[in-house]
């Protein structure tokens, strides 16, 4: 069935289909529509789940940890200040290997306060041990809620997943979304299996334990190893999803018109669509440009990224975030992967969209022009801001 | 691609109608659409904007609407710089007014007028003008069919309210069609 | 009338001109709220006994009591009608705004 | 003697002005009047919530005094820090006031508030109770009353809106043995202002819980805000009380209550209630009053 | 005067000399000695300051924000879980440009729980807009408390500073520390000046305001610009400190025997000492090796780093942290800076010390051997763990 | 009828064993006995604090049942989540119990606890009150009593240790109108166990605040732990009470108090106190009891 | 004696052998606490009336009441002396540990 | 560089004495030193370790002490695998015992014995052995002077306690010097 709904609505639909046992969430713009819809679904019985009105985000995640620790399926959603307020609990959950799924509506961080979309919030949490996926539209948001549970609960992964969607640009934009049938989702996503890391009356467990300096490092190494190898599961789940529902998102990343591209723009999240639009215009003008949509930032697809980018001349990375005193965080991550290449393409960083600033088609065109110029050997600023309203 | 900008006041349903248009075009019309509000910290009573984008292909673009094809003004007290900014040469302004002349004087663009308030009071008993303005837009633009709009209304509203709004949109459509194309 | 007034303000022309920190001068209004109003309170000064109830209850504080008779700051009155409703003598009428 | 406040004695000067709150907003009236009582040397701290959202929108600043938005959970802590800082700098005769919503007080901010009271920091804390998270679009808070429809407690076939009772925030604060605490309502403004004055004069932490209708969230007409706040007290769903010197005092003890139905029916958040629901609400009211009348002095 | 004290003690001595108006802190191992000492100093009057017993770290930082917002000097200290629990307040304070100084005792993050030192906690906060400095020993810890206030409160900087010291290895290790004289510190560190961003009775201010999508980006750009240029202030303050107290730490980074080095090991924090020890041994053996101690991670010294590393053959980066699903965070940051070099040295990542695991001299020797081998053109694993107790 | 617990009726089986707490630790006795009352189907949640620090040191696990360490602030929330999860999975006849210290309850954990009570989640919450942050080395908490020396409230020329009073945690919890709350002491173990039994049988949230001496933090000899806990009650510095069906009840109302001095003098945390300090402590005790005797039934 | 017993345990030989998550089986003791003791409680069974007070008050739960007479699990007794102090009949003596 | 490992029980002052040694060597002896505990989640009563490193140059090394030059055992009940691990060939073990033979049998290393408990009871009235053990170490090692240790004691302890401890360290020093070098 097709519906004309917002990204937040789409998330709620995806969650409904994934049937979590318990939802614990705290309202924050622009995530609210999602939790409101879920409240309605619980009230009207279309979702059989416990909705817990927790008193803060820290408790929202702590509650989800409790739910997951007894082997039940947990969902929560947040954004921005809320994500940071709960941040202590994120490495907690991932270290415990609890397959919680969370929606994060990407939003700017105070101060100054701002409710609009940028990606400073989730970039803060790259080290949290959570799998991070970013979606491009409402359909992908819905589909990823379902995929997220299957990935998180996979025996080889057992790691929580954060599904990120851009505030307002996705959360509050309505579009046509296909709602899968419950039966098909049930077939794709089996009920949560009981694993060794959760409580059980038959074999009681101690959870979230202490490991001193004799053992701690090995626990973390195991966590890292499994996160690294989750790449394969992510790819497989996406393929299986494609087979079942006809929508395949290309796993870790989606290379758009990149085959022969001399210049590639790396994007994360909703700006991808605008970049593709401009890319198509430039292709029509005969320019060899492409867009590489990074879907996952953790695990980071070092190898795949290098494969796509290796024969490019210039690469641009769009960051809707800034690590003050350095550069955009995606740029930093992409650069580090590229050092593995013998012949390294030039990379430039384009920072924009902060606090919801529009990234226009003209901005993207400017970015491609700069990259083409760079590819031609001209000097260009390594780090540039897009769509600045005043003198710099 | 068609881009529409809606001008209303918080609480007047301007975003609801932007959404309804998108729904009509996509769910019922088989096209693709986006609808999104412009959202601020201001409270009820402050002017707000809504946008609808419609295209026959999937819409990838996520940037804001800068210049649009249609500007629909739900309440003539909103007339001002916001309404006349970002117009293309042929952008059509559709305004809820009984006295359109004063607006026509101020812009070179075509201005379509409809007394939506009177129509709304007639059909709904309340001055809620959004449905009538959609009727006017559809009559002028012809990029979405009246039928599909009616289907969207029927789907989104309670039966009793929906019926009245369907009557209203038909009336608004007819008035405008007759005035401008008839 | 003793009410804060709208100030002339220019968008900062350079990053330098932006404030240090997420800061701004207090008492700094650059836009009015008049546009929010659909109805406008009008006081019948003849009937008014200056009981100051309306001054007290106005959520926006737009009724000035410093003069010989009350004065409303229509730049910031939102037309909520609280004053009219609370005036025991019904000296305030809510009148529809004209364009 | 303590200054008594009313419309005549109150300064004409506005210290909170030009904000972008909805017309008829009860909270904004509470902030406006409290600021007038506290005066120009008040330093205000407001967490995320309607009042901060509508008052600090660059470049429009509605406070004429010093003011700050705090992290949502941190009204108590930021205010404490300000008081400590002012004291350390030797800046005297100033007042630090926190204005937080019901959500910012009873849910996410209760810990910082509890800490401030425990340290007995010299601050005035005012809880603007509009019975839901309004700034984010009317979600249930710990102070949302039974039967209230919010966007996270929808009313439908299966549920009558919120099914939990209002947290007893005033009693919880009092249980800390705070220096001064009171409840108030924007329906009784002189009472409110005089309580703010008492709080101003209190050494140590003081707390005022003011009931403030929200036309947008409650679904009532804007002009009845003050009336409704009065009705809430008159029908017994809210009450005026103080906690001072270790004892509770009921400031108003009506012989007869006004109609609860009349209060509920003008608010769309309650329009789905059945007569059983209303009976339950009245029953809970009566239990609460029985307890207050038993344990509190008048 | 020289005292034999712990790193935590040294921090407390530094704070005493810097005379903050208010201290708000919450206890957490291994930071506790610092706050205990400060409590004692306040009690006995050797420090005239208000000590606030806050009820959590979130409130510790919120309280410091309040103190700083009225123009007073604020101090707080935390570690690990506490740092994450207060994390919402960090970009809050930095966006408001409040010159708060915080000590962070680097400690592992749960789960598993662990009280020992690694640097996962502060690496989480690289995007917080705080200046981050890491010290090598107790003396540097003390000295940096004093420098930190002067940097933070510099007119061109006005940015909070986090001084990081490794848990236990520094916090609980006693060594000889020179305690500067109060008069000399007073001369070096003037009383806090009143800036435009704080409250004032003469010109009332609104703080921590909202800036919508029209303005937000420019606020952040200003913040970034000032953080970038704080590098100069950092260098100048360190020089001035050297002149006044005879201890100069070389500003942003300290290149140890790097001049002609073919192989350089990049270190952050206390492991530097061990690396220098081994470096000296290898130099004695005629090997051209050096150690580059990165003192500041934000601002990040892109240019300086490249200058030191540009003619090296192989570079190793030690990370006492792991960004699960990728690599060590310092490695990522260093790599991104190196892409600006035409001829890029090979870089390898050595992860260790997680949860307090010892990094031994043999480990460091192994690291240098690997780097020398890499420099000779041999293949080596890009990311390696040090001192693993079991099969990988 | 409700099972009455004593040494005879109690199971011999230990569910909390081999932990690395100090010898003579009061808290560990409270946890041990509460677990025995709650039984093998109890699921325990413990925040950071001594009890979790000594019981989950890989590979030594002291609980024989399911148990989890929670983030320090999150006892209430994790326990709530566990209860919700167990209910959703249809796992019945289980009990979720949280064991938090005084710091984890009255300071950093009060918000999550308040939320759990407000939702009336089906959990038993036990506060192990040893009057300071012991796990991190004896720092002052909100429940540290006046005059107690801790590492962050040193006693010296200028200050007599902690200068704030103990937060009224029991009253604060009761003010939430919780289903069941009680105070207890490891000096009165049958009383404690029977209260745990009541809590176990309560539908909704229940709270037990148990006074548990800490030889390491208080500086007393290890063998007197239980004795001291009894003395605290007998000298009136602690009290045994319940809150049930909306009313307070004092379980012990001694005609005469045992000596406060005797209680204080065996603890090095109080050894600096002057006779004025002690007089102040006794005075505060008397005020507290006057209030309790006035307002609470017996 | 019905008390949890020390288990044989090997440090995991590989990352694979490490637990999934920060988890361990409950009821899992691999080391004893006997070394903490300087004094050791010894019960005079002749005097003991089996009132079980000592069983009740032992913080470590090391006194087993299941047999005909009380038995102390010296693997886990810490020698705190609570039992001896609480025994009304003074049947428990704290005896200095010998190496 | 000299590396010393101290074995004690939580509460016995083994880390205090490790620190005192460092202080004597550095503050009074003009050398450089580090002192650090090995810290675990265990509580009072559990065995703990302390370390002191002393060198004439600034000590850069921050790794743990793996093999040491002196092992000092404050309480003979601690004898066990922990004490005999990480020994170099010539590492001297100094143990508080009246009957050293049983220990000498178990290791090839030199074992220096002192009945510190008796000495402590004699001088302090309490079996707190750490100062005596420092005296023994200094007598055996000669890398820090007894004078500097006494200065460190005087500085760190209350006068009354300090005096007694100074007497104690002198006595312990003498006993060991006489027994082993005299
Ligand atoms: C940590 C955090 N969580 C959530 C939010 C989102 N938020 C901002 S205001 C608000 C609601 C405020 O409700 P209340 O305190 O009752 O004040 P009101 O708006 O009703 O005046 C919420 C949930 C936030 N800003 N920060
Ligand atoms: C967020 C956070 N802050 C601080 C700590 C450090 N911490 C761990 S336990 C503890 C003290 C616990 O005190 P209490 O709750 O009274 O329990 P007790 O140890 O006395 O049993 C502290 C401060 C932490 N683990 N997490
Ligand atoms: S309330 Fe009415 S009578 Fe009173 S001052 Fe206002 S207008 Fe006049
Ligand atoms: S209508 Fe409302 S805002 Fe205007 S004066 Fe009356 S009360 Fe004030
Ligand atoms: S939503 Fe309610 S509380 Fe918020 S500004 Fe509007 S009326 Fe006031
Ligand atoms: S420090 Fe106190 S509470 Fe902690 S284990 Fe020891 S005796 Fe128990
Ligand atoms: S307390 Fe004494 S008498 Fe009672 S059972 Fe124990 S040893 Fe026997
Ligand atoms: S000495 Fe302590 S641990 Fe041992 S049996 Fe007696 S009470 Fe239990
Ligand atoms: Mg509210
Ligand atoms: Mg405690």
């Amino acid at each position: 069935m097709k519906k004309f709904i917002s990204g937040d609505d789409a998330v709620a639909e995806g969650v409904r289909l994934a049937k979590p046992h318990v939802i614990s969430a705290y309202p924050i713009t622009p995530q609210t529509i999602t939790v409101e819809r879920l409240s309605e679904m619980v009230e009207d019985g279309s979702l059989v789940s416990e909705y817990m009105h927790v008193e803060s985000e820290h408790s929202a995640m702590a509650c989800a940890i409790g739910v997951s620790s007894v082997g039940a399926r947990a969902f929560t959603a947040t954004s921005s200040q809320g994500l940071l307020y709960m941040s202590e609990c994120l490495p907690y959950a991932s270290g415990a290997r609890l397959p919680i799924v969370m929606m994060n509506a990407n939003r700017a961080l105070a101060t100054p306060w701002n409710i609009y979309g940028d990606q400073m919030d989730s970039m803060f949490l790259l080290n949290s041990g959570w799998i991070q996926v970013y979606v491009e539209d409402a359909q992908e948001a819905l589909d990823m809620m379902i995929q997220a549970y299957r990935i998180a609960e996979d025996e080889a992964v057992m790691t929580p997943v954060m599904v990120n969607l851009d505030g307002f640009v996705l959360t509050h934009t309505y579009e046509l979304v296909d709602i899968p049938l419950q039966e098909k989702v049930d077939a794709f996503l089996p009920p949560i299996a009981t694993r060794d890391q959760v409580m059980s009356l038959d074999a009681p467990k101690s959870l979230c334990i202490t490991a001193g300096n004799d053992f701690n490092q090995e626990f973390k190494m195991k966590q890292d190893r499994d996160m690294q190898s989750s790449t394969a599961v992510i790819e497989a789940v996406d393929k299986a999803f494609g087979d079942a529902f006809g929508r395949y998102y290309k796993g870790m990343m989606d290379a758009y018109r990149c085959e022969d591209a001399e210049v590639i723009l790396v994007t994360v999240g909703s700006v991808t669509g605008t970049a593709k639009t401009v890319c198509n215009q430039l292709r029509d003008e005969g320019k060899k440009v492409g867009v590489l949509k990074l879907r996952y930032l953790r695990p980071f697809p070092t190898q795949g990224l290098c494969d796509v980018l290796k024969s490019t001349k210039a690469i641009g990375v769009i960051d809707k975030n800034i690590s003050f005193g350095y550069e955009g965080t995606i740029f930093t991550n992409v650069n580090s992967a590229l050092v593995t290449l013998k012949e390294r393409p030039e990379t430039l960083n384009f920072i924009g969209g902060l606090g919801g600033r529009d990234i226009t088609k003209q901005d993207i065109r400017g970015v491609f022009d700069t990259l083409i110029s760079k590819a031609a050997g001209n000097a260009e600023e390594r780090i540039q801001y897009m769509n600045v309203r005043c003198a710099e | 691609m068609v881009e529409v900008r809606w001008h209303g006041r918080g609480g007047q349903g301007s975003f609801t109608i932007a959404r309804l248009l998108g729904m009509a075009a996509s769910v019922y019309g088989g096209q693709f659409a986006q609808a999104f509000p412009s959202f601020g910290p201001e409270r009820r009573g402050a002017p707000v904007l809504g946008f609808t984008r419609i295209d026959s292909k999937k819409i990838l673009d996520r940037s804001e609407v800068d210049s649009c094809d249609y500007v629909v003004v739900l309440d003539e007290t909103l007339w001002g710089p916001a309404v006349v900014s970002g117009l293309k040469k042929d952008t059509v302004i559709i305004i809820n007014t009984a006295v359109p002349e004063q607006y026509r004087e101020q812009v070179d663009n075509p201005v379509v007028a409809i007394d939506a308030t009177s129509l709304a009071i007639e059909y709904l008993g309340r001055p809620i003008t959004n449905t009538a303005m959609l009727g006017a837009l559809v009559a002028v633009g012809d990029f979405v069919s009246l039928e599909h709009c009616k289907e969207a209304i029927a789907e989104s509203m309670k039966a009793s309210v929906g019926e009245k709004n369907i009557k209203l949109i038909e009336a608004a459509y007819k008035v405008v069609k007759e005035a401008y194309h008839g | 009338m003793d009410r804060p007034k709208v100030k002339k303000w220019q968008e900062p022309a350079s990053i330098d001109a932006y404030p240090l920190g997420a800061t701004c001068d207090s008492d700094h209004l650059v836009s009015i709220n008049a546009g929010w109003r659909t109805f406008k309170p009008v006081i019948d000064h003849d009937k008014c006994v200056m009981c100051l109830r309306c001054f007290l209850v106005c959520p926006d504080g737009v009724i000035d009591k410093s003069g010989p008779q009350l004065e409303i700051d229509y730049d910031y009155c939102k037309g909520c009608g609280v004053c009219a409703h609370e005036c025991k003598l019904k000296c305030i009428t809510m009148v529809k705004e004209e364009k | 003697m303590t200054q008594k406040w009313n419309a005549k004695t109150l300064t004409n000067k506005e210290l909170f002005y030009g904000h972008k709150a909805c017309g008829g907003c009860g909270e904004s009236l509470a902030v406006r009047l409290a600021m007038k009582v506290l005066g120009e040397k008040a330093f205000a701290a407001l967490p995320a919530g309607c009042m901060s959202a509508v008052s600090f929108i660059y470049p429009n600043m509605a406070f004429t005094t010093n003011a700050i938005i705090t992290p949502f959970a941190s009204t108590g802590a930021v205010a404490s820090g300000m008081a400590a800082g002012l004291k350390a700098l030797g800046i005297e005769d100033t007042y630090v006031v926190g204005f937080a919503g019901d959500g910012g007080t009873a849910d996410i901010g209760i810990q910082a508030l509890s800490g401030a009271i425990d340290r007995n920091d010299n601050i005035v804390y005012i809880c603007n109770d509009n019975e839901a998270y309004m700034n984010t679009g009317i979600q249930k808070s710990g102070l949302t009353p039974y039967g209230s429809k919010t966007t996270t407690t929808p009313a439908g076939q299966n549920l009558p809106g919120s099914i939990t009772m209002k947290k007893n925030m005033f009693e919880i604060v009092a249980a800390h043995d705070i220096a001064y605490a009171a409840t108030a309502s924007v329906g009784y403004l002189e009472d409110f202002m005089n309580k703010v004055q008492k709080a101003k004069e209190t050494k140590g932490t003081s707390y005022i819980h003011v009931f403030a209708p929200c036309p947008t969230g409650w679904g009532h007409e804007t002009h009845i805000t003050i009336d409704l706040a009065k009705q809430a007290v008159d029908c017994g769903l809210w009450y005026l009380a103080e906690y001072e010197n270790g004892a509770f005092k009921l400031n108003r003890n009506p012989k007869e209550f006004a109609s609860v139905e009349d209060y509920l029916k003008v608010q769309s958040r309650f329009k789905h209630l059945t007569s059983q629901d209303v009976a339950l609400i009245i029953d809970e009211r009566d239990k609460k009053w029985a307890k207050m009348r038993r344990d509190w002095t008048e």
Side-chain angles (χ1 to χ4, degrees), chain A residues 32-84:
Chain A
T32 41
I33 307 178
T34 296
V35 298
E36 292 172 6
R37 284 305 156 273
L38 289 170
S39 309
E40 289 162 14
M41 292 168 179
V42 169
E43 194 284 327
D44 71 20
S46 57
L47 167 57
V48 180
S49 185
E50 182 102 3
Y51 187 99
M52 299 190 68
H53 294 95
V54 289
E55 76 293 340
S56 79
E57 290 87 358
H58 196 275
S59 284
M61 183 51 69
C63 209
I65 288 171
V67 170
S68 194
S69 75
V70 299
R73 192 175 275 171
F75 177 75
T76 187
T78 192
S79 175
S80 179
Q81 308 298 121
L83 185 66
L84 265 66

Side-chain angles (χ1 to χ4, degrees), chain A residues 2 4 63 65 77 79 89 104 107 126 208 222 224 261 316 326 335 354 357 362:
Chain A
K2 302 221 173 201
F4 190 71
C63 209
I65 288 171
S79 175
C89 299
N104 179 53
R107 163 183 152 180
L126 279 180
C208 300
K222 180 163 184 150
D224 181 42
Y326 201 20
N335 277 337
L354 300 187
R357 178 67 45 82
Q362 291 89 306

Side-chain angles (χ1 to χ4, degrees), chain A residues 125-320:
Chain A
L125 277 305
L126 279 180
N127 287 11
S128 65
W130 283 57
I131 292 174
Q132 279 201 357
V133 59
Y134 292 76
V135 303
E136 185 187 336
D137 58 27
Q139 183 71 58
E140 192 179 359
L142 186 155
D143 293 345
M144 285 316 298
M145 300 318 302
I146 298 164
Q147 286 200 29
Y149 278 104
R150 181 147 154 196
I151 294 165
E153 293 169 7
D154 186 285
E155 188 146 25
V157 179
M158 291 308 292
T159 293
V161 177
M162 185 191 304
V163 180
N164 293 282
L165 58 163
D166 284 309
F168 290 98
V169 175
L170 293 183
T171 60
H172 283 58
T173 296
Y174 287 70
E175 12 178 357
L176 199 61
V177 174
D178 180 59
I179 319 282
L181 290 175
Q182 183 70 61
E183 305 83 74
K184 286 180 76 179
V185 174
D186 288 347
F188 177 80
L189 176 68
I192 185 168
T194 309
R195 311 274 183 215
D196 251 12
Q197 94 296 12
V198 297
M199 299 185 181
S200 129
L201 279 178
D202 301 334
K205 290 276 167 16
S206 291
L207 265 63
C208 300
I209 62 174
T210 297
N213 48 1
D214 282 347
F215 306 109
N216 193 275
Q217 176 160 305
E218 285 70 20
F219 275 89
K220 308 267 177 183
M221 287 173 68
K222 180 163 184 150
Q223 189 182 346
D224 181 42
R225 185 198 68 175
D226 292 356
M227 172 83 114
Q228 301 278 4
S229 55
S230 69
T231 311
V233 175
I234 287 167
E235 299 276 2
V237 167
D238 197 27
K239 285 229 176 69
F241 190 89
D243 293 343
F245 300 95
R247 289 184 296 272
Y248 170 49
Y249 292 99
K250 321 254 174 67
M252 298 294 291
M253 75 194 84
D254 178 5
Y256 185 80
R257 308 188 82 167
C258 287
E259 314 76 38
D260 61 341
E262 290 171 358
V263 149
I264 288 177
L265 185 56
V266 178
T267 60
V268 169
S270 66
V271 72
T272 305
T274 314
K276 285 177 180 171
T277 306
V278 176
C279 172
N280 289 338
Q281 293 168 358
L282 293 171
R283 279 279 177 181
D284 290 347
E285 295 169 19
K287 308 221 166 95
K288 291 196 170 169
V289 301
V291 173
L292 177 60
K293 167 186 168 190
L294 269 181
R295 297 185 68 239
Y296 286 81
L297 289 185
R298 288 293 179 276
F300 194 78
T302 316
Q303 192 51 53
L305 192 83
C306 290
D307 289 346
V308 175
L309 299 179
K310 60 174 177 277
S311 33
T312 317
K313 289 189 186 140
I315 294 162
V317 177
I318 290 191
D319 265 294
K320 286 173 73 167

Side-chain angles (χ1 to χ4, degrees), chain A residues 4 115-116 136-137 168-170 172-176 270 273-274 276-277 358-362, chain B residues 15 19 22-23 26-27 31 33-37 39-41 53 58 60-64 66:
Chain A
F4 190 71
I115 54 171
Y116 301 98
E136 185 187 336
D137 58 27
F168 290 98
V169 175
L170 293 183
H172 283 58
T173 296
Y174 287 70
E175 12 178 357
L176 199 61
S270 66
T274 314
K276 285 177 180 171
T277 306
D358 193 19
I359 301 179
T360 67
K361 292 189 285 294
Q362 291 89 306
Chain B
F15 180 61
R19 196 161 55 71
M23 184 175 170
S26 63
V27 178
Q31 304 188 67
Q34 283 178 353
F36 49 94
F39 196 100
R53 268 191 181 123
K58 188 163 180 351
L60 295 172
D61 186 6
R62 295 283 164 183
S63 60
E64 292 173 10
D66 50 356

